[in-house]
């Protein structure tokens, strides 16, 4: 071995050493990587398992919340006393209202319908009188069921069954292809609630109080909902008028386009009504309470009540003339309101005594619904014979007379509570019922007709649409200040009389579709 070869060997050995060191370092690095990788994977799996368990735990936590919400819906706010037996429940049904006197017209109207089918005018009058107490009993059964559930479900029950009579009459008229009667009766129900019922509430309350306050925010919101429904009714008419006179105008294609538009608008209105129920029953329940912060205090008359002076000669009890609620100064209404509040507070501490048991309430609901359906069928069948002589028009019957059938009991209730300074409740009956018809009953009937193959549209009679639009505007102006008096009530009632006189002479227009 030469000397010259030594550096080469040394260099080679140093290279081998460097290579071996790199191999060792690489091996250690690989080992560390292999060791660290399972640790990271195990940590990731642990986190994944933890997140999965958290999701499962959240799901398990959500189920009790859902059960709790369902339990609250079926739990009444007040303690329910022991329900009466069956006999006591039947006695409560009979004595529930003086409207039950009119129940005698149910068998009479049925007998006349089968024995004298040609007497259409007589059948109409008898069936008209027979449905009024049935509507009252339907409301009575609904109230009995509502006190046994939570406030949310009770509100949903009242909203669903509040206009059951109008819904039944409309469905029966729809099955008999009386499309104009369906449209006119529903518009008439809105007009009756907005003008007649609300006007009577303002007038009756104004005879006792100089001014009455109510929840301004809720009423303004309801006015906006009514305006939306009126726009939905006016748009098909504008659609029809805008295309008339065009060179490429085709009446048949335009009518079917209006029908398709009505179907789409009806679905949107039903969605708005569902949102309104969520708003009223869940998210903003306090807005519709009678003790809201935006409710103005009612005021009594300064000095002597002029309306009381007209009634004093009928009263022999001198104590009534000197009673504080009618002494008529500015302190009257707050004192009475405070008494009502104390009375309601004391009533909240006691348990509620139901008038009927649950089986009797459900049975009454079913029986009354069947009786309304049968009697309403006789009523609708008699309209053509009643109007055939020309003494009374079909428009007047549908717009003015038919709405009284289902709303008579509600009219009395709304006026009664307005005299007791519960105007917010009266507005809930009058304006709330109008919203249910405009946003639920009308689009539901249009959708049902779509399913049944009936060509029912939102193209109402032009005069009906204009009257509905002007009525909503008038009511919006009346309620925008959050207080009422007797003159505003008289204005609304007189406007309803003007509408009634107009439709007495109005012959009506045929619809674009006939069955």
């Amino acid at each position: 071995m030469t000397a010259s070869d030594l550096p080469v060997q040394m260099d080679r050995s140093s290279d081998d050493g460097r290579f071996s060191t790199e191999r060792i370092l690489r091996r250690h690095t690989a080992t560390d990587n292999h060791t660290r990788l399972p640790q990271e994977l195990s940590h990731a799996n642990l986190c994944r398992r933890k997140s999965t368990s958290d999701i499962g735990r959240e799901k398990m936590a959500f189920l009790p919340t859902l059960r709790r919400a369902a339990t609250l819906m079926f739990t009444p706010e007040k303690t329910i006393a022991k329900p009466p037996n069956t006999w006591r429940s039947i006695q409560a049904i009979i004595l529930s209202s003086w409207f039950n006197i009119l129940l005698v017209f149910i068998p009479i109207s049925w007998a006349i319908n089968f024995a004298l089918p040609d007497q259409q005018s007589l059948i109409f009058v008898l069936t008209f009188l027979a449905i009024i107490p049935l509507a009252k009993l339907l409301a009575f059964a609904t109230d009995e069921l509502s006190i046994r559930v939570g406030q949310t479900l009770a509100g949903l029950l009242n909203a669903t069954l509040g206009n059951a009579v109008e819904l039944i009459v409309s469905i029966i008229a729809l099955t008999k292809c009386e499309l104009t009667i369906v449209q006119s009766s529903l518009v008439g129900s809105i007009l009756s609630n907005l003008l007649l019922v609300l006007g009577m509430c303002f007038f009756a309350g104004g005879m006792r109080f100089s001014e009455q306050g109510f929840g301004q925010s809720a009423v303004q919101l309801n006015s906006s909902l009514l305006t939306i429904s009126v726009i939905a009714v006016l748009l098909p008419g504008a659609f029809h008028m805008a295309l008339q006179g065009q060179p490429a105008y085709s009446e048949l294609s335009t009518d079917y386009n209006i029908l398709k538009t009505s179907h789409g608008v009806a679905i949107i209105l039903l969605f708005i009504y569902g949102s309104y129920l969520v708003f009223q029953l869940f998210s903003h329940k306090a807005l519709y309470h009678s003790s809201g912060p935006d409710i103005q205090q009612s005021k009594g008359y300064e000095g002597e009540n002029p309306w009381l002076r007209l009634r004093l000669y009928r009263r022999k009890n001198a104590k009534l003339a000197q009673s504080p609620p009618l002494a008529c100064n500015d302190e009257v209404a707050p004192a009475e309101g405070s008494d009502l509040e104390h009375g309601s507070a004391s009533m909240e501490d006691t348990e509620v005594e139901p008038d009927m048991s649950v089986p009797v309430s459900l049975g009454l609901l079913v029986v009354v619904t069947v009786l309304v359906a049968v009697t309403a069928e006789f009523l609708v069948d008699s309209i053509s014979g009643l109007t055939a002589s020309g003494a009374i028009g079909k428009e007047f019957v549908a717009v003015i007379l038919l709405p009284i059938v289902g709303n008579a009991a509600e009219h009395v209730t709304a006026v009664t509570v307005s005299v007791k300074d519960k105007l917010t409740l009266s507005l809930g009956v009058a304006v709330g019922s109008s919203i249910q018809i405009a946003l639920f009953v009308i689009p539901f009937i249009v959708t049902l007709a779509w399913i049944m193959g009936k060509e029912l549209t939102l193209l109402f009679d032009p005069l009906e649409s204009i009257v509905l639009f002007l009525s909503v505007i008038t009511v919006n102006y009346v309620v925008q200040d959050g207080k009422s008096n007797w003159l505003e009530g008289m204005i609304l009632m007189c406007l309803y009389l003007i509408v009634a006189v107009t439709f007495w002479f109005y012959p009506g227009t045929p619809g674009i579709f006939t069955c």
Side-chain angles (χ1 to χ4, degrees):
M1 180 181 297
T2 60
S4 60
D5 294 335
L6 289 175
V8 176
Q9 292 179 357
M10 291 179 63
D11 293 338
R12 193 172 295 163
S13 62
S14 62
D15 291 339
D16 293 340
R18 186 178 70 250
F19 292 154
S20 61
T21 304
E22 290 178 356
R23 291 193 191 98
I24 294 172
L25 290 175
R26 194 179 296 117
R27 190 178 299 116
H28 282 290
T29 304
T31 304
D32 293 338
N33 290 335
H34 284 297
T35 305
R36 192 181 301 114
L37 185 60
Q39 293 178 353
E40 293 178 353
L41 290 175
S42 61
H43 180 69
N45 292 332
L46 181 60
C47 294
R48 190 178 298 112
R49 282 195 296 268
K50 184 181 297 184
S51 61
T52 306
S53 63
D54 290 340
I55 293 175
R57 197 176 297 111
E58 290 176 357
K59 290 182 178 179
M60 294 302 294
F62 175 73
L63 292 178
T65 305
L66 187 60
R67 294 194 197 100
R68 194 180 305 112
T71 304
L72 290 176
M73 290 183 65
F74 287 95
T75 302
E77 293 185 348
K78 301 178 183 179
T79 305
I80 306 298
K82 182 180 179 180
N85 55 25
T86 304
W87 174 243
R88 293 290 184 181
S89 301
I90 295 175
Q91 285 182 336
I93 294 173
I94 297 174
L95 302 176
S96 61
S97 174
W98 60 268
F99 280 108
N100 292 338
I101 299 175
L102 301 177
L103 290 174
V104 297
F105 290 104
I106 297 177
I108 295 175
S109 62
W110 290 21
I112 296 297
N113 180 77
F114 292 110
L116 302 173
D118 296 333
Q119 301 294 327
Q120 299 294 330
S121 300
L122 182 60
I123 294 173
F124 178 83
V125 173
L126 294 177
T127 52
F128 181 89
L129 295 175
I131 293 181
I132 293 176
L134 292 176
K136 181 63 177 177
L137 288 177
L138 190 64
F140 180 61
T142 304
D143 292 339
E144 283 296 312
L145 293 176
S146 299
I147 64 175
R148 291 176 167 88
V149 296
Q151 183 180 4
T152 301
L153 190 57
L156 189 59
L157 278 175
N158 291 321
T160 305
L161 301 177
N163 294 290
V165 176
E166 292 89 342
L167 188 61
I168 293 173
V169 173
S170 300
I171 292 175
I172 292 175
L174 180 63
T175 57
K176 297 182 177 297
C177 293
E178 298 286 351
L179 302 184
T180 55
I181 292 180
V182 174
Q183 293 178 328
S184 300
S185 63
L186 294 178
V187 171
S189 296
I190 299 176
L191 296 176
S192 175
N193 285 302
L194 285 182
L195 301 180
L196 181 61
V197 181
L198 193 60
M200 292 177 66
C201 292
F202 286 170
F203 184 80
M207 294 180 67
R208 189 169 187 179
F209 299 92
S210 175
E211 287 182 353
Q212 284 184 293
F214 48 84
Q216 187 175 4
S217 300
V219 172
Q220 287 296 328
L221 178 62
N222 293 341
S223 300
S224 301
L225 293 173
L226 286 174
T227 305
I228 292 175
S229 63
V230 170
I231 292 174
V233 170
L234 292 177
L235 284 180
F239 187 103
H240 189 266
M241 293 178 60
L243 295 180
Q244 288 182 347
Q246 298 294 330
Y249 173 73
S250 174
E251 184 176 0
L252 183 61
S253 63
T254 301
D255 293 345
Y256 277 100
N257 287 334
I258 291 176
L259 180 62
K260 296 176 183 178
T261 303
S262 301
H263 294 162
V265 173
I267 295 175
I268 297 174
L269 290 179
L270 288 175
F271 175 76
I272 294 175
Y273 180 73
S275 303
Y276 165 69
L277 288 181
V278 173
F279 182 86
Q280 182 183 16
L281 302 177
F282 292 95
S283 63
H284 290 71
K285 292 189 296 183
L287 193 63
Y288 293 87
H289 289 172
S290 58
S291 58
D294 61 337
I295 298 179
Q296 300 185 27
Q297 188 66 45
S298 299
K299 297 180 180 179
Y301 283 93
E302 296 182 358
E304 188 176 2
N305 188 339
W307 301 103
L308 176 62
R309 189 185 307 169
L310 297 176
R311 295 184 300 168
L312 283 180
Y313 73 96
R314 300 178 182 176
R315 305 293 179 91
K316 297 181 180 180
N317 190 357
K319 185 182 297 185
L320 180 63
Q322 300 174 358
S323 59
L326 299 177
C328 304
N329 49 22
D330 289 338
E331 302 298 329
V332 170
E336 184 173 355
S338 61
D339 291 340
L340 290 175
E341 291 176 0
H342 290 306
S344 61
S346 61
M347 289 178 61
E348 289 179 358
D349 299 334
T350 60
E351 59 183 7
V352 178
E353 295 184 1
D355 294 326
M356 294 186 297
S357 59
V358 175
V360 176
S361 301
L362 293 175
L364 178 63
L365 198 63
V366 174
V367 171
V368 170
T369 303
V370 173
L371 292 177
V372 168
V374 177
T375 311
E377 185 177 1
F378 299 155
L379 178 69
V380 173
D381 290 337
S382 62
I383 292 177
S384 299
L386 175 67
T387 59
S389 60
I392 186 172
K394 184 176 289 188
E395 283 290 322
F396 182 82
V397 172
V399 177
I400 304 300
L401 294 184
L402 286 184
I404 298 178
V405 174
N407 295 330
E410 291 185 349
H411 293 183
V412 176
T413 302
V415 174
T416 302
V417 298
S418 66
V419 176
K420 298 177 181 178
D421 198 22
K422 297 181 180 179
L423 194 59
T424 302
L425 181 58
S426 299
L427 289 171
V429 174
V431 182
S433 181
S434 301
I435 291 177
Q436 292 170 17
I437 296 173
L439 295 180
F440 173 69
V441 178
I442 291 179
F444 176 78
I445 291 295
V446 172
T447 307
L448 182 62
W450 184 14
I451 297 173
M452 296 171 59
K454 309 288 185 180
E455 296 169 338
L456 180 66
T457 67
L458 291 175
L459 181 60
F460 288 77
D461 184 270
L463 181 60
E464 295 175 3
S465 303
I466 293 174
V467 169
L468 181 61
F469 175 69
L470 296 177
S471 300
V472 171
I473 290 180
T474 304
V475 171
N476 193 16
Y477 281 133
V478 168
V479 302
Q480 65 181 354
D481 57 349
K483 54 187 178 181
S484 67
N485 51 62
W486 67 268
L487 182 59
E488 292 178 344
M490 181 172 288
I491 290 173
L492 295 179
M493 290 190 295
C494 291
L495 179 57
Y496 187 76
L497 292 178
I498 293 173
V499 172
V501 172
T502 303
F503 280 103
W504 175 266
F505 297 100
Y506 181 64
T509 57
I512 59 176
F513 290 108
T514 56
C515 293

